[in-house]
């Protein structure tokens, strides 16, 4: 019997349920073994959400979406800036033998405006690398495909299961990484 297949888990759930928090927590647990990015809300001085940034596993940032103009690509009230995703973000979504765990937050409407992003996600799902990502609860195209993909384990996050799910994810990825010969500390 060969080694276990790499886990390819995508978290889904309502906005604010804790998907990004779980992904960031796992990235913090295995800092030298991850690559990828997550999206983070950007708020103004009054606490109002004004957009989203892409944030790398090392904390570097790039503007992804902002209220108002500046881009012809839009989702609701946000202008979406595809170039940072397609250049910088795609570099972060290149796993390597020494960084076998990809964090990917998220597969959502804004990200799916990029065909380059969609193709990379499909490559990752079919790859031999582990993924912890998030995917919108509802949607067509790539979002629906991720939910139905036989290679993907979609798990819904709720306030009631978030803490337990975080412990389960850490144990699953730790077990996988140890089986692959990586230290359990992720260092």
């Amino acid at each position: 019997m060969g080694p276990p297949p790499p886990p390819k888990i995508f978290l889904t759930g309502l906005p604010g349920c804790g998907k990004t928090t779980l992904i960031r927590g796992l990235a913090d647990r295995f800092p030298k073994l991850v690559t990828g990015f997550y999206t983070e809300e950007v708020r103004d001085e009054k606490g109002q959400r004004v957009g989203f940034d892409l944030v790398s596993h090392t904390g570097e940032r790039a503007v992804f979406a902002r209220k108002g103009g500046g881009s012809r690509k839009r989702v609701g009230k946000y202008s979406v800036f595809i170039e940072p995703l397609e250049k910088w973000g795609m570099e972060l979504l290149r796993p390597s033998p020494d960084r076998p765990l990809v964090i990917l937050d998220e597969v959502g409407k804004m990200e799916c405006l990029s065909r380059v992003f969609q193709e990379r996600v499909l490559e990752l799902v079919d790859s031999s690398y582990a993924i912890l990502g998030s995917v919108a609860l509802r949607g067509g195209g790539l979002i629906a495909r991720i939910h139905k993909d036989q290679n993907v384990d979609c798990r819904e996050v709720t306030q009631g299961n978030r803490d337990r799910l975080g412990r389960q994810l850490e144990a699953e990825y730790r077990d996988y990484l140890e089986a692959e010969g990586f230290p359990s500390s992720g260092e």
Side-chain angles (χ1 to χ4, degrees):
M1 187 162 115
K8 296 183 188 301
I9 300 171
F10 279 78
L11 306 176
T12 193
L14 295 172
C17 67
K19 299 179 297 289
T20 301
T21 300
L22 289 172
I23 291 170
R24 288 179 66 180
L26 194 77
D28 290 346
R29 178 69 179 91
F30 304 107
K32 297 194 186 225
L33 301 177
V34 301
T35 189
F37 66 84
Y38 58 91
T39 55
E40 184 173 83
E41 290 183 351
V42 176
R43 296 189 174 269
D44 65 14
E45 59 281 346
K46 297 177 185 173
Q48 299 296 311
R49 185 171 65 194
V50 295
F52 299 90
D53 281 353
L54 302 174
V55 183
S56 76
H57 61 287
T58 60
E60 299 168 280
R61 304 176 79 85
V63 171
F64 182 50
R66 292 293 187 270
K67 278 187 180 176
S71 172
R72 290 178 19 169
K73 298 206 181 252
R74 300 186 64 82
V75 172
K77 56 189 164 191
Y78 296 100
S79 290
V80 181
F81 301 94
I82 296 299
E83 186 173 333
L85 176 65
E86 290 187 347
K87 295 200 184 297
W88 186 67
M90 292 308 94
E91 284 303 312
L92 294 169
L93 293 180
R94 283 196 198 284
S96 63
D98 62 327
R99 291 193 179 269
L101 173 54
V102 179
I103 57 168
L104 172 55
D105 175 42
E106 75 178 285
V107 177
K109 289 179 184 176
M110 289 182 186
E111 293 81 2
C112 286
L113 291 174
S114 166
R115 178 149 316 279
V116 172
F117 173 81
Q118 292 183 52
E119 290 170 358
R120 178 65 53 84
V121 170
L122 292 173
E123 288 170 9
L124 288 168
V125 167
D126 290 336
S127 77
S128 61
Y129 292 99
I131 304 170
L132 178 60
S134 66
V135 61
L137 189 59
R138 292 178 191 83
L142 181 61
I143 295 167
R145 187 168 173 182
I146 293 291
H147 279 280
K148 294 176 186 172
D149 194 298
Q150 297 286 328
N151 295 320
V152 170
D153 179 2
C154 280
R155 298 185 190 177
E156 188 167 354
V157 179
T158 65
Q159 289 186 350
N161 74 359
R162 180 178 51 214
D163 293 339
R164 178 178 38 82
L165 186 55
R167 290 187 299 275
Q168 288 173 343
L169 292 169
E170 182 178 334
E172 286 178 60
Y173 284 95
R174 182 186 59 245
D175 290 349
Y176 171 75
L177 292 167
E178 286 177 353
E180 291 292 311
F182 292 97
S184 62
S185 67
E187 297 296 326

